[in-house]
Structure formats: structure tokens, C-alpha cells
Amino acid sequence: MTVAGLIAAWVEGVRRRPWLVVSVALVLTAVSLWLAVTRIGVSTDTSAMLDPDLPFQRQDRALKAAFPQLGGELAVVIDARTGAQAEAAAADLATALAPRADLFAAVEDLAGDPFFRRNGLLFLDLDTLYDLSDTLAEAQPFLGALWPDPSLRGLAGLMDTAADALAGGDAAPSLAPGGGLALGPVLDRMATVAEARLEGDAAARLDWQALMRGRATPDPSDARRIVLAKPTLDLEALSPAGAAMTAVRATAQDLGLTPDAGVTVRLTGAAAMETEELKSVQTGMDVAGAITFVAVVSLLIIGLRSPRLILATVATLVVGLCWTAGLAAVTVGTLNMISVAFAVLFIGLSVDFGIHVALRYREGRDRGADNAAALAEAARGVGPALVLCAVAAAIAFLSFLPTDYRGLAQLGLISGMGMGVAFVANLTLPPAILALLPARPGGGGRDGAARALVGRIEAGARARARAVALGALVLAVGAAALVPAARFDFDPLNLRDPDTESVATVLDLLDDPQVTPYTLDVLAADLDAAEALADRMAALPEVAGAITARDLVPAEQEEKLFVIGDMALFLGASLAQDTRAPPDVPALRAAAVTLGEALARLAGAPGADSETRAAADRFAAVLARADQADALAGVDRALTADLPPVLDRLRDSLTAGPVTLADLPASLRDRYLAPDGRARVEARSALDVRDPDQLARFVDAVRAEVPEATGSPVLIRESGRTVLRAFAEAAALALLGITVLLAVTLRRVRDVLLVYAPLTLAALLTVATAAVLGLPFNFANVIVLPLLFGLGVASAIHLVKRERDETTVADAMASSTPRAVVFSALTTIGSFGSIAASSHPGTASMGVLLTIAIGLTLVCTLGVLPALLALWPSRKGISKAGR
């Protein structure tokens, strides 16, 4: 018995026992739903997306086994109005989070560690330390006046002293070497802060740390601190670091670290980005699924125009999706970030089978056939083509199984099984439903417009067959010339939603040249071996520097300690005075009067420059507006709140002593020295690693010298190579498998070539379009071309087989098959197009390229294939036409 006969016999058996079929289908659906709900999980472990036995994967695991604190961290980025405020916020947050051992394996505020409070000046380069010493020497009058009384009262006394100096002809004190930050800019900054406070900005405050560094306004990086937290991840949950992230945000809120208070707390790091990426993917898939279902049902209403046919097709779609989910639960169990898209893909592809069955069935009914005959005709007419289409699509999906791209292989496995489910379901459930609810004949008469459009396309293609074929050839050559311009984006950061907090924050951090997540790491046997490796890597022009644990120990300590000791001599007396109690309201009022008088004297002093005079007048005018006790207290806090912590840290830094490797904080030292004595070398790039080409140069240069180098640049580079290799292997396997399938089933070289001709053109045009539009291929959308072979052949197979069954090309194009091709492609485009609406760039890019590919396939199939069929008709068509 032929394939068509077997399918017809199956459909006839279904037609005779519709209630049994429907009952069994409902039971299978219920079981599948139960399996899907109880067994399907989602893994967020991105390292499992590629074969774990790949060399670079093993090297990365070895590094993380030696240094488990590396990777998977939450970086809590704290931005405040001033450096002192950021420092206090970081310390408070780290102190509050550290006891949460259920959520965090470790919480580190390195910059706030007592070691760095005491020895931080040793980590400055020598020239910067000398500059700071000169600045503090010139600022000593300020410090001497403010240390014992860090309030508006102390500030008034300081300005009174400055006014006396100017009145006596002396120079006004400055806060930078050579008067780089003179009194005028300081007064102007004070006026700005006081004015902001009076106008309702409760978080306004003067950054004394910036003033001491010779800057009137703080640099954003000076008012930023980063707390590193190692969360306990639940990789079986859709939000692996969700509980830890929620705890950070809630703790920050409880501590008053809010924008209203002048503090912004943001989360980034690998853990945060992966968690938010999964949320983005889930939201995108939920939205895409809803859009897909609505789009598909709408197109079915337009294309089928029969409530019973629509019911049969939609019911089959829902049942088939449940069966596929049940199979996924049994065979896979845990989905990944790519395989979660199987539902949308199934909807878009399964409905194609249903459309061909429904329109072929209706074609028979419209010709007057009874229900049984129409079902049998549909089974015999489209059954063999559906077999080919299902197997071809399954081959395309399953072609990723032998590759190292495990994430896409999982999607391929589920979707490949889904094609089998779609085939069986669409030749089982619709016949059962239509046996119970036969569609009424006559609906086809309303398809005149669609038939006329397809007829005009076919007639035009046949009438100008040679011109169309030549034009297609020219297009193919032009597209092939553009193929080399297509590019692959290796950077996974570009696949993430830039509007999520974690990605937006890391992009902000990357603007700071001192921050880079793209460093290479090498695991050495011991510290001496690490030193040798660091020297070899540092000699490469692509490497800006390579450091080991020994490089963490400050250099030139003897001279630096001499400078710090000198600073302690001229500042020690000022910072050793007893502090006065904070002023009460009457004392504040008196201080405001004194400060106002001092500012008036500064503005009129003969030795004052124009900038100082203008700033003193402005400050005095602003101060005069603080006539209420609350307003005056607010101005006092705004101007002096940072003084005590800044002066305390300055005093602590003057007690620095010699530092050895053993003196470093364990949390820092242990990032470079493992407990077993192995050592890590960290290399920074001299190139722009956000540029894929320069990142590749950096990685290739270092790994040529040190093949065992790992780190994020290596993972990006080698993962990209692995995915490209997987893509090439999958495309070759899909092409080979589908070619063998077509050769065995169609048994004519002519038919195989006709099936591939529009598909090849569509593939070239797809890559060329991506190149022209600047749409890079990436880890998510590389599935497009292998799938194009599997999905694109479907339309051509249906048309070629229909042409073989009919007398002429015109008869084939006048049948229901071209309309089924059109509506099938439109439903697929509607399905894949919905993925393009995802906020996740990787998922969206897959939808965009799939939509382009399927759209071009439809155009090439309907625009080029009829011309090729006319130029190269089948023998059957020739003999029948000649009678």
C-alpha cells in the first residue's frame, strides 16, 4: 500500500470512530498537561548551553573551582551625592546583609575595609600622593578650624578668619596646589548646595571630599561605591538570584538608601543579569504566545471562513501543543532559555499542517463530494506532502543534536518531536471532529479574491518565465555578493534587554575606564609561576597589564610613608583637637549672623578677586533666606554633614604603616591566591574589548602565548566559535538529510532541484537582508538558516507535488494548494513575528530573522517557482497538455 493509501486508511478509521478518537485525545491531553505542570522546570545555568567538555569550558570550571568567589556575583552599585555619603551607605548595607547566610555566601565592601581606611594612601601613585599632600597643606587652615567644630559655627569662624586675611592684604586660603581651587569656587559651591536645600532638596549636601581633592563638584566615580555579594543561587527557579536581589532592595529601603535621600542602589553582575534576562525571556514568551494565538486564529478566520474548520484546526493546535509539552516533560524535563520558545514555534508550524488539510477537505466539499469522500481526498491529496514536510522540518530541528550547542539542541529535540505530533494530530483530530460536525460546502466561493490574486501571480510568472528566472538568478548573485558582509555578534551582553536595571548599570560602569569585566585569567601552579606568566602576557602589545597577588602590595612604600608621615606632622595637631558639642538653635542663628558678616567683608575686601566677591554676595543672599530654625538647621546639615566622616577617614589614613602580602584583606588576597597555593593572573586588554574584532585580537594574542587563559573574553570568543561551528554543522546535516529525503520520495532530480531553487534564493536573500539592515547573527538567531531548509521546503513540496498531480501548472495554481501555502506562510510569519515583539533582544532577533526568512521564502516560492515549473514542466504535465 502506498503512503497516500495508508494515510487515507488511517483517516477513514478515524472517521468511523470519532467519539473514541476524541475521548482518547482528551485523555492524552489531560495526562500531558499533568506531566507538563508537575515535571517541567527551567534551568538558568547558562554554562550548560554549550557542551561542558569543551576545552575552554573545562578551563573555566577549573578556575572557578580554585576561586569559587569569582563569577555569579551581585554587584550592588551605590551612587550618592557625595563620596562620604556613598561610603556610609555601602558600609551600612554590607553590615546589614552580611548576617543573611541563607541568601549570601559572602558580602564584601572592600573600599570600606578598615585596612583601606588606614592604608589607602599607599595605593595612590607617588605623584598623586605628593599633589594631595600639597593640597592638604594649603587646606590646613580650613581643617584646623573645622575639625573641632564641624558645623555652621565652625564654618563662620573659618570665613571670618579668611576675611581678616584678605582685609590685611594676605592671599585667601585655597584648597589646591597653587590656588587651583580658590576660595571663590568653594563659596559658590556652598551657595549652590544651601540654595538647593532651601528649595526643598532634602538630599543636597556639600562634598568635602571633592573639595579636598581640588574639585568644586564631585566626579561621579568619587561618589560611587560597589558592594559585592555572592548570592546562593537556585538554578531550578526561574529567578535564581531573585530572593537575594529582593533582600538587597528591601534592606536598602529599610536603611533609607533611596533617591529621595540622595542615594541610588542598583544591582548588576552576572547573577542579576541572568535573573533579569530570564524574566525578560519569560515575559517575552508569554506576550509572544498570546500574540501568536490571536494572530493565528485571526488568519484562520480569514483563510478558512468556516466555523467548523476553524474549530477543528484550533482544537488540534491546542491538543498538539499539550502533547508536545508532555513529551518535553518526559524526555527533557528542564528547559533552558532557548528551548522555552518551543511553544511559539509549534503554534506557528503545526497550524500549517491544519490549513493544508482543511483547505484540501473544503476543496472536495465545494466540488460536491460528501463528507467521507472529501476527507479521503484530503488524506490522499496532502498526506504524502505533509509527511515530507514533517520529516523535513524534524530533520532541520534535530540537526542541532550532534553539535556542541546543547541549548539549541534541546529546542531542536522538542520541536522535532513536535513535528511528529503535529503530523499525527492534524491527520487524526480534524477528521474526527469533521465526522461529527461536517463542514458545509460552498465556502470556497468566497475565496475569489485570493484565487484571482494567486492566479495573476502565476499567470504573470508563466508569461514571463524566462525573465523571472533570469531576474531570480541576478538576485541570487547579488545576494551572494553581500553574504560576506553579514556578521556574528559574539557579545552576550548585546542579547540582553538594555532597559533592565542590571544591563543599564553595567553599561554605565563600562563608561568608567577603570572598570572592565573583560579580563583574562590564567591559573598558575604557584605565585612564582604566576609572576612568570604575567611577565609574558604583559609583553604583548594587546595587553595593558597583567597582575598577580604580589602586584596588590603597594610599590614605593618607603617614600610614600615618608610623605604620609610629613602630612601627619602638619595635620596632626589640627586633627587632635577636642570637638565641641553641636550648636543649638540660638548658636546656629548667631553663627549665621557671623557667617553673613564674614561673607560681606569678603565681598568688599580689597584683596578679593571678582569671582570671590560674586560668590560671597551670592552665598550671603542665600543664607539670608534661612530665617526659620528648620531651614537654618537644614542648611547646616547640607553644608557640614560630610565633614566628620571625611575628617575621620583623613585622620585614619595618616596612621598607615608598611604593608606586605599577608597584611592584605583576605577577601582581596583570596581572589588571587587559592588555599592550595595556586595563583591567578589577571590580564587587562589594551584594546577596546566592546568591539568584537578587537576582543578577538586580545583573546587570540593571549591564548597563542598562554593557551590555558580563560575569563569572560575567552568565553565570549570561544562560545561564538562553537555556535558558528554548530550552525555550520547543523546546516550541513539539515541540507544533506532533506536532500536524501527528497531524492528518495520525489525520485526525480527535476523535482528536487525545483524544491531547492526558491529555497536557495530565499536563504541568500535572508543573509543579504541581514547584512544590509545591520542585523547581526547571534547565539539565539543562528537557528534561522538550518530551519529555513526544513520549513522553506514545505511550500515548494506542496506546489511541486500538486503540479505532478494536475494536468498543467495553471491547474495546480488554481487549486487550493497555493492558497494553503499563502495562509500557512502568513500564520508562520504571524507566529514568528510575535517573537520579534519580545523585549529580550536575543529572542526578538530570532523572531525578526525568522519572519524575514519565511516572508522571503513565500515570495520566492510564489514568484519564482511557477516560472520554473513553466520552463521545466513534468512529463505528466507535458503529455496531458499535448492531448
Side-chain angles (χ1 to χ4, degrees):
M1 185 179 290
T2 63
V3 173
L6 287 172
I7 294 173
W10 172 267
V11 170
E12 177 61 18
V14 169
R15 187 190 67 80
R16 291 177 181 276
R17 302 172 184 81
W19 284 113
L20 175 62
V21 172
V22 170
S23 299
V24 171
L26 289 176
V27 170
L28 287 176
T29 302
V31 172
S32 297
L33 278 175
W34 176 78
L35 288 171
V37 171
T38 58
R39 295 194 181 184
I40 286 185
V42 178
S43 173
T44 60
D45 185 3
T46 54
S47 65
M49 298 291 283
L50 299 176
D51 185 350
D53 290 329
L54 290 167
F56 73 91
Q57 292 271 69
R58 292 199 302 268
Q59 290 164 350
D60 182 61
R61 285 199 305 276
L63 178 75
K64 289 176 179 175
F67 298 95
Q69 65 272 53
L70 300 179
E73 291 177 312
L74 279 178
V76 186
V77 181
I78 301 169
D79 290 292
R81 295 290 183 89
T82 68
Q85 187 181 27
E87 185 175 308
D92 291 345
L93 188 60
T95 300
L97 293 176
R100 299 294 306 272
D102 57 322
L103 295 176
F104 303 100
V107 178
E108 300 173 359
D109 173 25
L110 275 176
D113 190 283
F115 171 84
F116 287 107
R117 288 184 62 89
R118 185 175 64 255
N119 299 296
L121 294 180
L122 288 174
F123 290 85
L124 299 177
D125 65 72
L126 195 56
D127 289 341
T128 302
L129 184 60
Y130 272 117
D131 288 344
L132 178 63
S133 176
D134 292 340
T135 299
L136 292 177
E138 295 189 28
Q140 196 274 337
F142 277 80
L143 302 178
L146 293 176
W147 171 266
D149 193 2
S151 68
L152 198 65
R153 182 177 55 202
L155 189 60
L158 175 64
M159 292 304 164
D160 196 48
T161 302
D164 288 341
L166 281 176
D170 295 332
S174 66
L175 290 180
L181 184 59
L183 186 59
V186 173
L187 295 176
D188 193 60
R189 182 60 186 163
M190 289 178 176
T192 298
V193 171
E195 188 173 41
R197 184 66 185 84
L198 291 173
E199 291 177 354
D201 184 359
R205 56 201 293 162
L206 185 64
D207 194 333
W208 285 93
Q209 194 174 85
L211 292 180
M212 290 183 184
R213 291 177 177 171
R215 293 194 291 266
T217 56
D219 187 277
S221 62
D222 292 340
R224 172 176 291 162
R225 293 293 183 274
I226 298 177
V227 174
L228 296 179
K230 185 77 171 180
T232 302
L233 301 178
D234 180 5
L235 294 178
E236 296 300 319
L238 191 59
S239 182
M245 293 170 68
T246 299
V248 172
R249 293 188 174 111
T251 303
Q253 187 75 27
D254 293 342
L255 293 172
L257 307 180
T258 63
D260 289 343
V263 181
T264 301
V265 177
R266 297 178 292 169
L267 298 178
T268 188
M273 287 193 288
E274 288 174 9
T275 296
E276 291 189 340
E277 180 179 25
L278 286 167
K279 183 178 179 181
S280 175
V281 170
Q282 181 191 31
T283 302
M285 286 298 101
D286 291 343
V287 172
I291 295 174
T292 295
F293 194 79
V294 171
V296 165
V297 171
S298 300
L299 287 168
L300 289 177
I301 292 172
I302 296 171
L304 300 182
R305 298 186 179 183
S306 167
R308 297 183 179 188
L309 287 177
I310 294 170
L311 171 65
T313 306
V314 173
T316 303
L317 185 63
V318 174
V319 167
L321 182 58
C322 294
W323 292 357
T324 303
L327 283 174
V330 172
T331 58
V332 174
T334 302
L335 304 178
N336 59 53
M337 289 188 297
I338 295 179
S339 60
V340 294
F342 84 88
V344 174
L345 291 177
F346 180 87
I347 293 173
L349 300 177
S350 175
V351 74
D352 294 354
F353 293 6
I355 288 173
H356 280 281
V357 171
L359 287 181
R360 193 60 176 265
Y361 163 80
R362 201 180 75 181
E363 182 181 331
R365 295 289 282 160
D366 290 346
R367 285 203 306 264
D370 62 21
N371 198 54
L375 286 172
E377 180 182 337
R380 289 181 178 275
V382 302
L386 290 184
V387 171
L388 280 178
C389 294
V391 175
I395 289 173
F397 279 118
L398 297 175
S399 65
F400 278 95
L401 280 180
T403 70
D404 294 325
Y405 197 176
R406 299 290 180 84
L408 206 51
Q410 188 181 89
L411 174 62
L413 175 61
I414 298 172
S415 297
M417 295 187 299
M419 292 301 94
V421 168
F423 173 76
V424 172
N426 279 285
L427 288 175
T428 303
L429 202 55
I433 295 174
L434 293 173
L436 297 171
L437 299 170
R440 297 184 179 89
R446 290 171 289 181
D447 286 337
R451 185 181 292 109
L453 176 61
V454 172
R456 284 196 297 271
I457 294 173
E458 180 271 336
R462 280 193 301 117
R464 302 173 180 82
R466 293 183 183 278
V468 170
L470 181 60
L473 180 61
V474 172
L475 270 179
V477 172
L482 289 172
V483 166
R487 64 185 181 89
F488 189 92
D489 187 353
F490 295 94
D491 195 343
L493 188 62
N494 295 331
L495 295 185
R496 293 180 164 129
D497 184 357
D499 293 329
T500 58
E501 178 184 84
S502 59
V503 177
T505 302
V506 80
L507 291 175
D508 185 22
L509 291 177
L510 287 174
D511 289 336
D512 185 346
Q514 296 182 348
V515 177
T516 174
Y518 297 114
T519 59
L520 284 181
D521 298 306
V522 182
L523 188 60
D526 53 40
L527 190 51
D528 290 336
E531 289 283 317
L533 285 172
D535 291 341
R536 287 166 55 192
M537 288 191 287
L540 298 172
E542 294 84 2
V543 175
I547 65 171
T548 68
R550 287 194 181 122
D551 294 306
L552 302 177
V553 179
E556 302 175 297
Q557 288 193 45
E558 184 176 351
E559 189 170 358
K560 289 179 180 178
L561 287 172
F562 174 79
V563 176
I564 294 171
D566 190 47
M567 291 165 60
L569 285 176
F570 65 72
L571 290 175
S574 297
L575 302 181
Q577 304 175 68
D578 294 333
T579 57
R580 299 176 61 181
D584 54 16
V585 173
L588 274 181
R589 291 188 183 278
V593 172
T594 302
L595 180 56
E597 293 173 348
L599 291 171
R601 293 169 59 206
L602 283 171
D609 57 35
S610 58
E611 186 177 14
T612 300
R613 291 171 182 167
D617 281 336
R618 181 187 173 212
F619 192 8
V622 171
L623 191 63
R625 292 164 51 190
D627 52 357
Q628 301 296 321
D630 288 345
L632 193 57
V635 169
D636 177 46
R637 286 193 298 274
L639 293 177
T640 64
D642 271 11
L643 261 175
V646 168
L647 295 176
D648 283 342
R649 179 145 193 162
L650 174 61
R651 183 185 59 182
D652 292 343
S653 70
L654 299 180
T655 63
V659 172
T660 66
L661 184 59
D663 297 321
L664 294 174
S667 57
L668 176 61
R669 186 179 60 248
D670 291 350
R671 287 177 172 268
Y672 294 87
L673 282 177
D676 60 4
R678 286 182 294 173
R680 179 172 74 98
V681 184
E682 181 182 68
R684 289 176 175 250
S685 175
L687 307 174
D688 179 9
V689 288
R690 292 302 312 282
D691 183 315
D693 294 333
Q694 296 194 50
L695 181 140
R697 281 179 53 200
F698 174 48
V699 172
D700 293 345
V702 173
R703 281 173 67 84
E705 180 70 25
V706 186
E708 61 271 26
T710 184
S712 56
V714 171
L715 296 180
I716 292 171
R717 173 71 166 155
E718 295 301 329
S719 295
R721 283 175 166 168
T722 301
V723 170
L724 283 178
R725 185 170 62 249
F727 154 73
E729 292 171 356
L733 288 172
L735 183 60
L736 177 62
I738 293 170
T739 300
V740 171
L741 172 70
L742 294 177
V744 170
T745 54
L746 297 180
R747 300 181 181 178
R748 295 182 188 177
V749 174
R750 171 255 187 196
D751 290 350
V752 175
L753 292 177
L754 286 175
V755 167
Y756 269 131
L759 179 60
T760 302
L761 177 59
L764 289 172
L765 288 175
T766 297
V767 178
T769 301
V772 170
L773 297 181
L775 297 173
F777 289 91
N778 55 48
F779 293 99
N781 63 30
V782 291
I783 194 174
V784 170
L785 291 184
L787 276 189
L788 186 58
F789 290 116
L791 308 182
V793 296
S795 299
I797 285 173
H798 282 293
L799 287 177
V800 169
K801 288 189 69 65
R802 192 62 189 262
E803 186 264 351
R804 287 173 58 172
D805 295 338
E806 299 295 337
T807 303
T808 64
V809 177
D811 292 336
M813 298 301 292
S815 69
S816 63
T817 300
R819 296 197 302 281
V821 167
V822 171
F823 284 112
S824 296
L826 290 178
T827 54
T828 304
I829 290 172
S831 175
F832 294 161
S834 68
I835 303 177
S838 172
S839 61
H840 184 264
T843 304
S845 70
M846 181 167 65
V848 169
L849 279 178
L850 281 171
T851 300
I852 291 172
I854 299 302
L856 289 172
T857 301
L858 174 62
V859 171
C860 293
T861 300
L862 292 181
V864 177
L865 187 55
L868 298 179
L869 288 170
L871 290 173
W872 195 359
S874 67
R875 292 191 183 92
K876 182 178 179 180
I878 294 173
S879 61
K880 286 184 178 182
R883 292 175 186 173

